[in-house]
Amino acid sequence: MQGKRVMILGMARSGVAAAKLLSEKGAFVRINDLKTREQLGKALEPLEGLANIEWRLGEKPDELLAGMDMLVISPGVPIESPIVKKAESLGVEVIGEIELSARLSKGRLVAISGTNGKTTTTTLTGEIFKASGANTYVVGNIGYPFAAVAGETKESDVVVCEVSSFQLESVKDFHPHVACLTNIREDHLNRHHTMACYIENKAHIFRTQTEDDYLVLNYDDETLISLSKTAKSRVVWFTGKRIPPFGAFVLDGRIVFGTENDHIDVCGADELLIPGPHNLDNALAATAMALVSGVKAEDAARALRAFKGVEHRVEFVREVDGVRYIDDSEGTNADSTVKAVETMKAPTVIILGGSDKKNDFTELCTAIKNSPYIAHAVLIGQTARQFDETLRRVGYPEGAIHHAGFDFNAAIDTARSLAVPGGNVLLSPACASFDMFNNCEERGDIFKDIVQKMTARA
């Protein structure tokens, strides 16, 4: 990158990390965001005093492309946006931070995507590699930019990277030695428009792989079974329900890796601390990725037995007045919330709703209606009306539907008033958070803060 002229569009965490990396690599870096320096505030502190950075904040990006060799876009900038089209017309290469980081990093790259389970799977995979003794970085869509570590990686290191469909839009040479797709469900149609486009974006994770690489796929997902036929890499399966040709699966209550007749024993499925069949799938995916990479079964088992899950994923917060409060703010689509609903084993009040991603909620609302445990639904945000209409249509009792508008405190107060001792309050919105919060992590943090400050009733 020495001497390259690079413009970075978007000064969120990944953009700031990319600017710092490029500066250290000797590039001339022009940073741009529609927000001003004052509005961005402390987020820019890592760039203070760095060489070769031109600050062009609060300006329109399409006026700043002249003379640039490359444009690095944030995940929030669609690949079909006018600024991308203009850059390409000027001969400016357009990539994302994930692509940039992969080009500048060393070591073995393990990449995980999918609609649901990717954060848990990424975190657990990282823990397994750490247990094996490998110097491991866990980065990407999980919240820690790949660019923040790319410049310090060594050939002996392992980079475990969560990749979203937004990030995969702009990859070109991104080449993981091990790639994984956890599942494909309807999501982000407000961005990708059709399921066909969404699926193709997910498939970008393995398009550059060769026969020397591995692709880990869910054997219970028909879309992925179909996609596997287009892969050049060696396909390895995971499944908690049946026996695949080769991969990680459950046999006689044990997690094993290999084939039905020739496999390595890892540990008991009942030794996992993370609940639910979806988390068993996550553990199997992580096991498959680790063992094809040469990790020993005993190292994988040690990490699997110790892993307690990730924040905002069906996370127990606190019990108040005999009611358990559970944070599943990372449940940002219908299928993810279905999984959370299925883990409830006591009378539950669910908080649903958020910003609209143009998804259909019929399957989720049917699961809520058929669950013996979801006693009430408290609706918030942009999608509250859609949830109300869909719940009524599938036959959920009208008297069990409650509205809190855009007032998160009121939603939690309502849920508390409806909950019964021995039961649960579950925040699992099935939607993105941007109608009320900066991100789903903030939504979960605020939920937990409110719950932690509750005082028991006399």
Side-chain angles (χ1 to χ4, degrees):
M1 288 293 172
Q2 183 73 36
K4 284 270 190 181
R5 297 177 61 84
V6 184
M7 176 170 151
I8 300 179
L9 178 56
M11 283 292 107
R13 283 178 292 192
S14 64
V16 170
K20 187 172 185 294
L21 173 64
L22 285 164
S23 173
E24 291 168 351
K25 294 295 183 182
F28 167 80
V29 186
R30 176 177 288 167
I31 62 172
N32 173 249
D33 196 293
L34 290 177
K35 292 181 179 179
T36 65
R37 190 165 182 166
E38 291 71 28
Q39 288 172 319
L40 290 165
K42 291 185 178 180
L44 298 176
E45 284 182 357
L47 304 183
E48 296 289 351
L50 293 183
N52 305 326
I53 295 184
E54 179 186 36
W55 300 60
R56 302 296 294 269
L57 304 172
E59 300 182 46
K60 293 182 178 179
D62 53 356
E63 300 172 359
L64 302 172
L65 288 169
M68 294 292 104
D69 299 309
M70 179 183 290
L71 174 66
V72 178
I73 57 174
S74 78
V77 178
I79 200 69
E80 61 189 24
S81 62
I83 185 64
V84 171
K85 300 300 183 187
K86 180 170 183 178
E88 291 174 340
S89 72
L90 294 172
V92 178
E93 183 183 18
V94 180
I95 63 172
E97 175 262 337
I98 289 288
E99 173 73 20
L100 172 72
S101 303
R103 291 183 185 184
L104 296 177
S105 70
K106 300 176 182 177
R108 188 186 319 162
L109 177 58
V110 178
I112 298 110
S113 195
T115 306
N116 296 315
K118 55 185 178 291
T119 298
T120 298
T121 302
T122 299
T123 307
L124 179 51
T125 303
E127 291 301 306
I128 294 175
F129 275 106
K130 291 174 185 176
S132 75
N135 188 43
T136 306
Y137 298 94
V138 181
V139 299
N141 190 60
I142 200 166
Y144 191 70
F146 192 174
V149 305
E152 63 190 61
T153 53
K154 300 179 178 64
E155 292 294 346
S156 58
D157 295 341
V158 176
V159 177
V160 181
C161 183
E162 179 186 329
V163 196
S164 72
S165 61
F166 292 6
Q167 292 169 317
L168 286 168
E169 278 187 347
S170 56
V171 299
K172 293 180 179 178
D173 303 319
F174 184 76
H175 184 166
H177 175 55
V178 181
C180 173
L181 289 172
T182 56
N183 47 58
I184 298 287
R185 303 288 186 271
E186 183 181 280
D187 201 11
H188 297 302
L189 297 189
N190 58 328
R191 169 79 169 247
H192 302 301
H193 310 302
T194 67
M195 276 299 292
C197 290
Y198 177 59
I199 291 166
E200 181 53 34
N201 270 302
K202 289 295 189 184
H204 288 170
I205 198 170
F206 66 83
R207 291 302 189 206
T208 61
Q209 286 190 308
T210 71
E211 59 275 7
D212 296 323
D213 302 314
Y214 295 94
L215 176 60
V216 176
L217 298 175
N218 188 336
Y219 197 52
D220 302 313
D221 191 307
E222 292 300 325
T223 300
L224 294 180
I225 291 174
S226 178
L227 266 186
S228 71
K229 298 170 185 175
T230 68
K232 298 175 184 176
S233 43
R234 290 175 278 185
V235 175
V236 180
W237 301 102
F238 69 90
T239 169
K241 297 178 181 177
R242 49 191 180 144
I243 298 173
F246 180 80
F249 56 101
V250 178
L251 189 64
D252 299 327
R254 306 286 299 177
I255 292 175
V256 301
F257 180 76
T259 67
E260 182 176 13
N261 297 318
D262 184 14
H263 53 261
I264 301 168
D265 182 85
V266 180
C267 68
D270 60 357
E271 295 181 78
L272 299 177
L273 299 178
I274 46 178
H278 61 294
N279 275 321
L280 174 59
D281 281 345
N282 297 335
L284 290 165
T287 298
M289 283 184 278
L291 267 62
V292 296
S293 300
V295 172
K296 294 179 180 178
E298 53 265 34
D299 292 331
R302 188 164 64 254
L304 289 169
R305 294 183 182 115
F307 186 66
K308 296 181 180 179
V310 299
E311 193 175 18
H312 310 307
R313 293 282 189 181
V314 197
E315 178 192 3
F316 171 67
V317 180
R318 183 186 174 207
E319 184 174 310
V320 185
D321 298 324
V323 176
R324 290 169 55 87
Y325 289 79
I326 300 166
D327 170 19
D328 189 47
S329 184
E330 289 272 5
T332 58
N333 59 63
D335 188 67
S336 182
T337 294
V338 167
K339 300 293 193 302
V341 165
E342 290 173 346
T343 66
M344 297 298 106
K345 303 301 178 187
T348 298
V349 182
I350 188 170
I351 300 174
L352 287 168
S355 56
D356 189 2
K357 295 195 284 183
K358 306 300 181 185
N359 290 347
D360 179 60
F361 297 127
T362 302
E363 185 177 345
L364 167 59
C365 290
T366 301
I368 289 171
K369 183 248 182 184
N370 291 338
S371 169
Y373 300 112
I374 307 300
H376 296 273
V378 179
L379 310 181
I380 59 173
Q382 288 177 352
T383 56
R385 181 176 178 180
Q386 183 184 354
F387 269 115
D388 186 299
E389 293 173 350
T390 310
L391 284 166
R392 291 170 188 263
R393 177 163 49 81
V394 301
Y396 193 68
E398 181 179 339
I401 301 171
H402 312 267
H403 286 261
F406 288 82
D407 189 333
F408 198 48
N409 281 279
I412 296 170
D413 286 343
T414 300
R416 184 180 188 184
S417 71
L418 296 167
V420 298
N424 307 308
V425 169
L426 169 67
L427 171 68
S428 188
C431 298
S433 57
F434 305 118
D435 57 340
M436 295 169 63
F437 308 92
N438 290 318
N439 50 54
C440 63
E441 293 85 2
E442 181 185 70
R443 179 172 60 190
D445 288 341
I446 292 173
F447 176 78
K448 292 197 291 186
D449 184 61
I450 293 170
V451 170
Q452 292 294 354
K453 289 177 179 176
M454 285 180 178
T455 56
R457 295 187 174 118

